[in-house]
Amino acid sequence: MVEFFFELITCFGTFWTLGITSEMRAWQNGRGGHLQRALILQSSSASVRVAPYENLLSHTRFLLTLRSQEGKYHSLILFRLSTGDDTQLPNVSQRSDLHSYQQLYAMESACPHLGADMSHAEIEECEDSVVVVCPWHRYDFDLRTGESETGLRACTYTVKVEPHEKDGVYKVWVEAPDNSGWQLVELRPVSEAFADLPPAVANSIPESVPSVPIKLSEDLVPSNGAPCTLMEWAVLILNTSDPMLKVERTKHAVHLFRTGQITSIGHKSKRAPQPPAIPPRDDNYTRNIVDPRKLGKRKNAAVMLHALANIEQWAWDIMVRFGPSHPEIPSAFFSDFSRMALDESKHFSLLVSRLSEISPSTPYGSLPVHAGLWESAATTANSLRARLAIIHLVHEARGLDVNPGTIERFRRSGDLESVKVLQVIHHDEVTHVTSGHRWFTWICQQQGVDPVKTFREEVRRGWRGEIKGPFNVDAREIAGMTRDFYEDLRGDMDTVSNHGASETLKDVNARSAGYQSSAPSLHVGYEK
């Protein structure tokens, strides 16, 4: 059963037009609804403001992504230990209630042993300490000191709760890694379920949400040759032609990875599996592939949702295609892109479910689709730097520009349920571009090159034509894409080439016959 996932979106509706809007400031100051993430501009030399304490009552764990003035990234997990009734704000006049504010802890998001994602780590309360247990190898770390019985030490950060001097609202602050002018660019609840319904929007969702029944064409886990590493799961998922099965396998693989049931990424192995050159597609979908230029104007809601529902696979592909050739890449890379893979499956599920509600006679696969992004996939197949630049910082960044216009079309038509779905997708895609920027700047640092100059060079080599506006400047800046990256930029690619490998467009089109693009979800067919 495809489940709906609505995130904390109640005040995000006007974000794209106004940038750091009054709605965002209201969330930061405690006067508005719950926002999933926002750019927090205020920080002291020693700490970064996270959110009002009451805005953290919806979940017990949050992923915090910080970015320094120099463009460095640092990810933390904020733990809020439950103290009873999580729906009530503590009364600071009562000493017992004040204890609730003291049950906030922050530590680095990756285990210092081998880099396991700590977002789903177990918490154990001892007589005089609280420890978090790594899901991979059971290493334990004191949440206050970071110390471990193994001798390792994790980085922990002091969390403070202080009243605002003007409105008296208690705000949560977290110690900054250093004095590099850190900003919070993502605040995201860690959810145990694929389809979590936060209290902020639960009342607006029907109790019974229609969904598309899932009929898996194969076993979720193959009976023979079951994957043992994240890389093996990635290749299995890429080779899965049934989109519904692809979604379910993605959910299962990410759960195994997060909970320590997969303890090896597998990218350093000499026997690391290879991704398919062209991921297979179910015949029901490939028979309807058409040239993007023949799709015409899309005004019908069902046609629009169908076009947006192309199941994406860039996240799995980038991990398995480039992980083995970059054995030095931090494990956080795989945590970021496995989270992105889960988002991609969530987006597909949301759109297909919504399509089944408004147009049962046109299920996914029954309408024309296009393969317009295969050219970029071929262009960047041999370079991680090029893939990050073209797919994540050009294609997906373009999605940030045009998503709001698509959302507004559905809003004007009165389809507010589709608006909710598209808002969730847009908010997630801001974080996808952020991840693209994070790892693009990382690889530039490893290679000793300037990120802005290098990005512009990659676009000139791997893109054809102008990088089109108008730009959603505010969303791009949240993701790290300042104007100097993309303004007055044009690609000069005459053939699809990549670092010495070149082929004509005719060759690419011939190889991509029958391939349905995993297009970034909201900009397909809507560029002006």
Side-chain angles (χ1 to χ4, degrees):
M1 171 176 160
V2 178
E3 301 169 301
F4 269 71
F5 187 112
F6 291 102
E7 304 210 27
L8 308 176
I9 59 175
T10 53
C11 293
F12 235 95
T14 58
F15 151 69
W16 68 276
T17 53
L18 302 179
I20 310 302
T21 63
S22 59
E23 284 81 0
M24 296 178 71
R25 297 187 193 283
W27 174 83
Q28 185 182 358
N29 294 325
R31 298 189 302 271
H34 296 266
L35 287 182
Q36 178 193 357
R37 56 186 72 85
L39 177 61
I40 305 302
L41 298 178
Q42 295 189 3
S43 65
S44 68
S45 60
S47 59
V48 178
R49 190 167 76 187
V50 178
Y53 179 83
E54 62 180 326
N55 284 16
L56 303 181
L57 295 178
S58 61
H59 291 72
T60 58
R61 303 181 188 196
F62 293 83
L63 172 69
L64 278 61
T65 302
L66 309 180
R67 184 170 61 233
S68 70
Q69 291 179 343
E70 293 79 18
K72 296 180 180 179
Y73 284 84
H74 198 68
S75 296
L76 310 179
I77 299 294
L78 178 68
F79 296 92
R80 184 183 64 82
L81 271 60
S82 177
T83 56
D85 187 353
D86 283 345
T87 65
Q88 297 296 321
L89 193 65
N91 182 350
V92 295
S93 64
Q94 299 293 326
R95 183 175 298 274
S96 59
D97 278 8
L98 186 59
H99 178 68
S100 299
Y101 287 141
Q102 300 168 347
Q103 295 296 298
L104 294 171
Y105 303 90
M107 68 174 293
E108 58 186 313
S109 63
C111 176
H113 177 213
L114 291 178
D117 182 355
M118 299 293 282
S119 64
H120 287 66
E122 295 179 8
I123 299 291
E124 296 181 359
E125 295 194 44
C126 305
E127 291 184 3
D128 56 354
S129 65
V130 179
V131 299
V132 59
V133 182
C134 173
W136 281 11
H137 302 103
R138 307 299 296 173
Y139 282 32
D140 62 318
F141 300 93
D142 189 303
L143 276 176
R144 294 189 183 91
T145 66
E147 295 179 351
S148 171
E149 294 179 352
T150 64
L152 291 177
R153 184 167 184 166
C155 292
T156 57
Y157 301 87
T158 301
V159 181
K160 300 183 297 182
V161 181
E162 298 178 343
H164 192 274
E165 59 182 11
K166 293 183 178 179
D167 57 23
V169 174
Y170 276 75
K171 309 291 175 60
V172 176
W173 296 74
V174 65
E175 178 185 3
D178 53 42
N179 294 328
S180 299
W182 295 89
Q183 296 175 340
L184 178 67
V185 295
E186 180 181 2
L187 172 62
R188 181 169 183 154
V190 174
S191 188
E192 296 293 334
F194 181 73
D196 183 47
L197 297 176
V201 296
N203 292 336
S204 64
I205 302 172
E207 293 184 3
S208 177
V209 180
S211 61
V212 178
I214 294 179
K215 297 180 181 179
L216 299 184
S217 56
E218 304 173 21
D219 292 337
L220 181 66
V221 181
S223 55
N224 295 321
C228 297
T229 69
L230 188 65
M231 294 296 93
E232 291 174 359
W233 270 107
V235 171
L236 174 65
I237 292 167
L238 288 170
N239 280 316
T240 300
S241 60
D242 182 343
M244 301 302 180
L245 180 58
K246 189 187 296 287
V247 167
E248 293 303 307
R249 283 178 169 170
T250 293
K251 292 163 59 177
H252 186 68
V254 174
H255 173 74
L256 295 178
F257 182 55
R258 286 177 168 178
T259 58
Q261 298 178 67
I262 295 177
T263 59
S264 174
I265 295 171
H267 67 297
K268 297 181 181 181
S269 172
K270 295 181 179 179
R271 295 177 294 178
Q274 297 295 313
I278 302 175
R281 293 287 176 172
D282 189 279
D283 290 342
N284 290 333
Y285 312 114
T286 56
R287 67 168 61 100
N288 286 322
I289 291 178
V290 299
D291 188 309
R293 293 169 295 183
K294 296 180 180 180
L295 288 177
K297 299 294 183 181
R298 297 172 179 166
K299 297 181 180 180
N300 178 277
V303 175
M304 293 170 72
L305 291 175
H306 189 281
L308 301 176
N310 284 346
I311 181 66
E312 304 173 34
Q313 29 190 1
W314 298 121
W316 287 122
D317 187 81
I318 198 172
M319 285 188 280
V320 73
R321 185 173 300 279
F322 300 108
S325 60
H326 294 80
E328 77 288 354
I329 201 163
S331 59
F333 173 85
F334 300 96
S335 296
D336 281 357
F337 281 93
S338 62
R339 185 184 308 114
M340 193 182 300
L342 193 62
D343 283 346
E344 292 171 351
S345 291
K346 177 182 70 180
H347 299 169
F348 175 80
S349 299
L350 286 169
L351 290 164
V352 169
S353 294
R354 187 66 192 140
L355 177 63
S356 71
E357 291 180 11
I358 67 172
S359 183
S361 62
T362 56
Y364 178 69
S366 64
L367 297 175
V369 294
H370 77 92
L373 285 186
W374 177 242
E375 180 179 326
S376 293
T379 303
T380 61
N382 299 318
S383 168
L384 174 59
R385 197 176 77 184
R387 172 63 62 87
L388 291 166
I390 301 302
I391 296 299
H392 295 282
L393 302 185
V394 174
H395 281 296
E396 287 208 285
R398 179 58 181 159
L400 303 187
D401 301 333
V402 301
N403 291 350
T406 304
I407 292 171
E408 186 57 28
R409 293 183 190 184
F410 279 90
R411 192 191 308 278
R412 288 198 302 266
S413 71
D415 186 355
L416 299 185
E417 293 303 312
S418 292
V419 167
K420 292 178 183 179
V421 169
L422 300 181
Q423 285 179 321
V424 167
I425 295 173
H426 177 63
H427 304 156
D428 286 346
E429 290 192 343
V430 174
T431 70
H432 297 179
V433 180
T434 302
S435 294
H437 179 266
R438 174 183 186 175
W439 294 106
F440 182 81
T441 55
W442 176 85
I443 198 169
C444 287
Q445 182 181 26
Q446 299 299 305
Q447 298 173 350
V449 296
D450 177 73
V452 173
K453 181 179 178 181
T454 303
F455 172 75
R456 297 178 75 87
E457 290 174 351
E458 291 288 358
V459 171
R460 293 189 187 99
R461 178 166 51 239
W463 186 257
R464 180 177 294 100
E466 181 184 3
I467 300 297
K468 297 180 180 180
F471 302 110
N472 187 342
V473 175
D474 297 305
R476 283 173 172 258
E477 287 188 355
I478 289 175
M481 294 289 290
T482 51
R483 292 174 183 265
D484 50 347
F485 273 90
Y486 56 83
E487 284 190 336
D488 301 319
L489 181 58
R490 183 180 181 85
D492 298 323
M493 182 181 69
D494 293 323
T495 59
V496 176
S497 61
N498 191 44
H499 300 277
S502 179
E503 58 185 337
T504 66
L505 289 177
K506 182 178 180 181
D507 294 333
V508 173
N509 292 334
R511 289 197 298 107
S512 62
Y515 173 78
Q516 178 184 346
S517 170
S518 51
S521 56
L522 283 184
H523 77 274
V524 182
Y526 296 105
E527 296 189 11
K528 295 180 179 180

